[in-house]
Each structure stands twice: as C-alpha cells, then as structure tokens.
Amino acid sequence: MKDGWPEGYGRRVLAEVDSTNAEAGRIAPTLAGPEWILALRQTAARGRRGRVWQNPEGNFAATLVMRPEGAPGQVALRSFVASLALYDAVVAVTGRGDGLTLKWPNDVLLNGGKLAGILLESMGSGGAVTHLVIGIGVNLAEAPEMAEVEADALRPVSLLSESGVAITPEDFLELLAGAYARIEAQFQSFGFAPVRAAWLDRAAKLGEVITARTSRETVTGVFETVDEHGNLVLLSGKKRHAIPAADVFF
Ligand SMILES: O=C(O)CCCC[C@@H]1SC[C@@H]2NC(=O)N[C@@H]21
C-alpha cells in the first residue's frame, strides 16, 4: 500500500459513463492488472437480474475488473470477498459495525435497509472466466424512493441518513480498494474458509426463516448456513436445499 492505495491495482475516475460494469467490459482486454473504475454519474446503471440500479449523484458507483485464476465456481466466490470488503469499508467510515449486516448473496444492510448492492458479471469462453467484473453501488448520500424499487424489495437506506456520516465516492473508493485487496490476498492464500466464516459472522437472518426465489421455485426455510461453494442452505421441513442463485426475502 502506498498513500492508502493498494499496490498492483489501477484506478480510473470518470465524470460520467453509462455503467461502470459496461465500461469494465469494454476496457478489460486492454488491462494488464486489476483496475477500479469509479464513475461520479452513471446514465444506465445495471442492477442484479436485469433490474435498473437507481444511482443518485453523490452515491458510490464503481467496478473492479480483474483476471482471476480458477474455475468459474471459485471465481464467483469473489462476491463474498467484495461484500466483506464493503462491510469493512463502511465500518472504517462510521467507526462502528452495529446495525450493519450482510444479506446473501451480496447486499450490505444498515439498520435492516439496503445500503449497497453488488453485481458480479464474468466474461469468458469454453467454460473459463477470462475477466471478472465486480460492480458495487453504495447509497452514500441518498437512497432511492421506495416507489423506485420493486414492491417486495427491502427499504433502501443511505449512509448519510442512517449514520449522519458524509463521505465522497473518491474517499470511499480508497477505503474499499484497501479492504478488498486485503481480503483478496487472504482468499488467495487461505481459500474460501476464512472468508466464509467472516461472512457468516456478519450474516443477516442466520438461523431464521427466510424465502429464496429462484427462476424455478420459491423455497421458504431456516437459513442454516452458506456452504463451501457459496450456496445458500435452507432447511425446509426435512429437506435441505443448497441454492446457488436466488433473490432472498425476509
Ligand atoms: O442489484 C443490485 O443490488 C446490484 C447493484 C449494483 C450497482 C452497481 S453501481 C456500479 C456498477 N455499475 C453498474 O451498472 N452496476 C453496478
């Protein structure tokens, strides 16, 4: 780390772009190493599952694009690395972790409302991932109105309204990039186990009844754990479901 910025990571700051994830996809083939792309304004920000991401000015919108090693399942575990890094960055800003939880697969909640979301996308061919794109949006200054999100979505909240703390996207990126680099190094050295344990320590609704909606079915059950592949494990009656991808409702 030099001046708080992690070694080996590049950074570019854009005044405006359609989507930092889209920009990451365009520049990926030209990059020699991992690169953060921060945009002060996005005109077509993307959310998970084809949704639109509301991105009021002053909020954080950035993407880390990298060329990870390993099989696609291993690569996708970066969503836990990124959400833990986000958690740590928010703690670094506010000085406190109370009220802060992680919602599977990769949202950050503050006082039960959605503070931040992550959109993981990958590029590749023949079953191999050539580039991983980790897009991160944080409601630093302003939360979208309830009317702007889906009816059953969690209430969006902002860092400013919930904690009274103001931080610029540029300053937040410094904290997030440092936290990400640290946890990525841990993931590379020791694998998923410590990341999984830290994630579970911060999990929202662990041991409680939640609902997961996949493209095929809706499962309601006790949130038992996240397994070693990153699946959500729900116990419904006597049946244990290991769910790789879903929307989760409390
Ligand atoms: O739906 C979600 O919860 C994920 C939202 C991810 C939004 C971020 S903002 C920066 C990056 N660029 C995008 O177009 N989307 C992600």
Side-chain angles (χ1 to χ4, degrees):
M1 285 239 233
K2 210 170 60 191
D3 303 334
W5 186 257
E7 246 170 69
Y9 286 76
R11 159 176 44 178
R12 49 188 88 183
V13 178
L14 309 173
E16 180 178 301
V17 75
D18 50 356
S19 148
T20 53
N21 273 28
E23 178 68 5
R26 289 188 289 264
I27 67 166
T30 68
L31 295 174
E35 182 95 5
W36 282 96
I37 304 163
L38 174 75
L40 303 182
R41 206 169 105 79
Q42 290 185 113
T43 54
R46 320 205 276 235
R48 288 180 69 229
R49 300 183 163 249
R51 297 186 190 104
V52 170
W53 177 255
Q54 301 296 338
N55 190 206
E57 241 159 273
N59 283 357
F60 180 81
T63 295
L64 173 64
V65 51
M66 61 194 292
R67 192 186 289 240
E69 311 232 311
Q74 191 68 15
V75 168
L77 295 174
R78 294 302 191 308
S79 82
F80 296 93
V81 174
S83 48
L84 269 182
L86 250 180
Y87 184 103
D88 284 359
V90 173
V91 170
V93 176
T94 60
R96 50 201 294 186
D98 50 308
L100 207 56
T101 52
L102 299 176
K103 174 173 179 265
W104 188 91
N106 45 28
D107 289 343
V108 178
L109 310 186
L110 182 54
N111 300 334
K114 178 160 169 167
L115 175 69
I118 299 175
L119 174 63
L120 228 72
E121 298 177 298
S122 58
M123 288 164 265
S125 61
V129 175
T130 54
H131 289 94
L132 178 69
V133 165
I134 307 173
I136 299 176
V138 187
N139 302 326
L140 291 182
E142 199 180 319
E145 296 293 325
M146 234 1 236
E148 292 175 305
V149 298
E150 288 181 359
D152 47 11
L154 278 182
R155 168 182 68 103
V157 295
S158 76
L159 189 67
L160 184 60
S161 66
E162 296 298 311
S163 71
V165 176
I167 183 165
T168 64
E170 291 93 332
D171 288 347
F172 189 78
L173 177 62
E174 294 257 351
L175 295 170
L176 178 62
Y180 185 91
R182 185 173 43 74
I183 301 169
E184 172 69 30
Q186 183 192 40
F187 179 64
Q188 286 185 21
S189 300
F190 306 109
F192 184 46
V195 170
R196 173 173 173 255
W199 194 96
L200 284 168
D201 270 352
R202 295 158 178 77
K205 305 285 181 188
L206 192 64
E208 297 182 38
V209 173
I210 63 172
T211 296
R213 197 185 295 153
T214 74
S215 50
R216 286 183 303 112
E217 58 176 351
T218 298
V219 181
T220 297
V222 176
F223 175 14
E224 277 202 332
T225 193
V226 168
D227 70 15
E228 65 276 22
H229 306 293
N231 296 318
L232 174 72
V233 180
L234 294 190
L235 184 63
S236 177
K238 288 204 171 108
K239 192 160 179 225
R240 190 161 278 115
H241 300 253
I243 300 169
D247 276 330
V248 165
F249 301 91
F250 297 158

